[in-house]
Amino acid sequence: MMSLLTGRRILLGVTGGIAAYKAVYLTREIVRAGGEVRVLMSAAAKKFVAPLTFSTLTGHPVLDEMFPDPAPVDPVHLLPGQWGDIFVIAPATADFIGKVANGLANDIPSAAAMAFRGPILLAPAMNPRMWNNSAVQDNVARLRLRGLHFIGPERGDMGGVHEQAGIGRMSEPAAIFDRIEELLYPDKCWMNRRVVVTAGATCEPFDPVRFISNRSSGKMGDAVARQARLMGAEVFLIRTNSAIGEPPSGVEIIKVDTAAEMADAVKALFPTADLLIMVAAVADWRAKTASAGKIKKHTGILTLELEPTEDILLWAGKNRQEQVIVGFALETDDHIVNARRKLEDKNVDIIALNDPTSADSVFGGDSIRLTILKTYCEPLELPAMSKREAAARLLSEAYGYLK
Ligand SMILES: Cc1cc2nc3c(=O)[nH]c(=O)nc-3n(C[C@H](O)[C@H](O)[C@H](O)COP(=O)(O)O)c2cc1C
């Protein structure tokens, strides 16, 4: 599948911390996505991971010696920091951060940081006591002021058995990968805007162990949230616990189970939002009364009385001020007529119509075929595309409605 990193050039600096092994996974993910990676290593980094691992994964030799013996005929090839769309340092040690903050360039990664002209992203990793040391904090603050980007560190277990938990753990490779995509993504039209996205299928319990739900995987909602983040937005993702896979990084996640919980979360965030995209498959009905105990297995028929859940999109359409609202419609019959009715009845700007019976739009898949409906416009039938590309189209369409 085409990724945003396909054909992009990533210069990766690895410095000497236990998290260096995670840089191997990061390299593998970027290469798998079609990106080109060149690795620079500090002397300490080579104590943790062998350069051979990186050169095998990337297909290029690792740059690790400032003064190799014998000196190469063409030393220009050794000049670090002259290649790449982005320079990522993962892990970035306290020592490396200190060197760059003070303009030192006595090894390959630090010299590259001095010479590099594109965006620089650091993923610090260190013992929490080191991270909290005011010298490290001062250095980080100075680098931030100079426009260098940081991801993490996170709170959690450190690599070693003797390490205490706290803030210092390097962000996971998947999160660093997402951040690289974000920094390289050119269109930031949602910058300084707040976007609320819902994702997944709600679950409506009728006893403590059973519920009514639907087949939505949450993948499209996740793709919209991730894409809104790439386009610069501050993103709030209201995501059901049943949604599959890892949620996107860099977005605030609000976990919910039921339609009522989702309604509460939307109502809390909507007043300050610029855009609401309701991708979640919210149950239309729930049990009128949920049994407190597990319903005993009957030999006969069990009849459940269902009542409608709150229509969150309708609520949003009634309570909107300047917010742009996008709804999703999943129709199996009379698609366009029903979706257009939804657009008008609910007072929303865009309805993205999804036909799950089409071969390109199956539940849980990575591609989708959407038809976009807007008031006074002919339906726009998009071809089948990845959920991420569809999310980008939708966010561009929604941008046209911003006040
Ligand atoms: C087992 C071990 C683990 C280490 N882990 C880290 C670490 O996670 N973060 C860090 O900043 N330094 C860590 N250090 C210390 C660095 O390796 C040391 O400061 C080194 O000089 C860093 O060099 P570099 O920044 O050129 O890679 C560790 C040292 C050892 C022996």
Side-chain angles (χ1 to χ4, degrees), residues 106-302:
N106 64 355
D107 70 353
I108 296 273
S110 55
M114 225 50 61
F116 196 74
R117 286 290 161 266
I120 299 181
L121 172 65
L122 288 94
M126 65 198 73
N127 170 296
R129 283 195 301 272
M130 286 172 93
W131 175 250
N132 288 318
N133 186 296
S134 55
V136 173
Q137 288 301 315
D138 285 354
N139 289 334
V140 169
R142 284 161 73 190
L143 292 178
R144 280 189 201 279
L145 268 180
R146 285 188 214 145
L148 278 75
H149 304 275
F150 282 83
I151 177 164
E154 319 286 338
R155 181 180 291 281
D157 283 349
M158 302 294 132
V161 279
H162 302 300
E163 302 272 17
Q164 84 277 39
I167 296 181
R169 179 188 161 94
M170 189 173 92
S171 296
E172 290 306 314
I176 300 173
F177 183 100
D178 283 355
R179 192 67 194 284
I180 296 171
E181 285 192 327
E182 185 194 325
L183 288 169
L184 291 178
Y185 198 78
D187 178 359
K188 300 287 179 201
C189 63
W190 287 96
M191 188 64 106
N192 297 327
R193 301 288 190 167
R194 286 162 70 95
V195 173
V196 177
V197 185
T198 65
T202 64
C203 293
E204 310 300 328
F206 59 89
D207 80 10
V209 293
R210 303 186 182 97
F211 56 82
I212 301 167
S213 190
N214 61 69
R215 292 182 186 278
S216 173
S217 66
K219 279 188 175 181
M220 185 65 210
D222 283 357
V224 170
R226 186 175 283 123
Q227 185 64 31
R229 175 86 188 122
L230 290 181
M231 293 169 106
E234 184 184 3
V235 182
F236 300 84
L237 174 60
I238 304 170
R239 191 176 193 266
T240 63
N241 288 315
S242 70
I244 63 169
E246 281 296 307
S249 57
V251 309
E252 185 159 326
I253 293 174
I254 301 99
K255 293 181 180 174
V256 296
D257 265 321
T258 63
E261 286 169 15
M262 183 163 281
D264 286 348
V266 170
K267 287 176 185 176
L269 290 166
F270 187 68
T272 56
D274 295 293
L275 168 66
L276 169 67
I277 305 199
M278 288 285 304
V279 195
V282 183
D284 293 315
W285 301 277
R286 64 174 178 203
K288 198 164 179 193
T289 45
S291 165
K294 183 182 171 210
I295 300 173
K296 288 269 171 289
K297 184 175 171 184
H298 294 288
T299 44
I301 290 168
L302 170 69

Side-chain angles (χ1 to χ4, degrees), residues 15-19 42 44-45 48 92-96 99 107 125-127 130:
T15 60
I18 183 72
S42 69
F48 293 89
T93 56
D95 175 69
F96 174 81
K99 280 202 285 204
D107 70 353
M126 65 198 73
N127 170 296
M130 286 172 93

